[in-house]
Amino acid sequence: MPTVGSIGAIDGSMVAGLMLFGANAKTAVAITVVGRAISYGVSTALGALALALLGGRRVLRMVTEGRTSTAAAG
């Protein structure tokens, strides 16, 4: 069954795989949660860094103006 961002399917598979290789359920869940937190944290930090390096306010203003002009034209 599809889930939002495949969170249930991927995390469940990670826990099952860790348990298959000998980790108990508590440890497998903890490792999975830490892995997910690192994954989200790193991608969020890199996105913020990219936005800052590209001139965040300018980029956000261009996106906002693009939406406004598209809505006015349509």
Side-chain angles (χ1 to χ4, degrees):
M1 177 171 176
T3 59
V4 177
S6 299
I7 288 175
I10 291 173
D11 292 338
S13 298
M14 287 176 62
V15 170
L18 288 166
M19 290 177 68
L20 180 67
F21 286 103
N24 61 26
K26 196 174 188 179
T27 304
V29 169
I31 291 170
T32 302
V33 168
V34 169
R36 181 63 76 170
I38 291 170
S39 173
Y40 283 144
V42 169
S43 63
T44 300
L46 289 176
L49 178 64
L51 189 59
L53 290 175
L54 291 172
R57 289 183 190 260
R58 182 174 43 91
V59 171
L60 291 173
R61 193 176 320 119
M62 288 183 343
V63 169
T64 304
E65 289 173 358
R67 289 183 185 163
T68 305
S69 65
T70 304

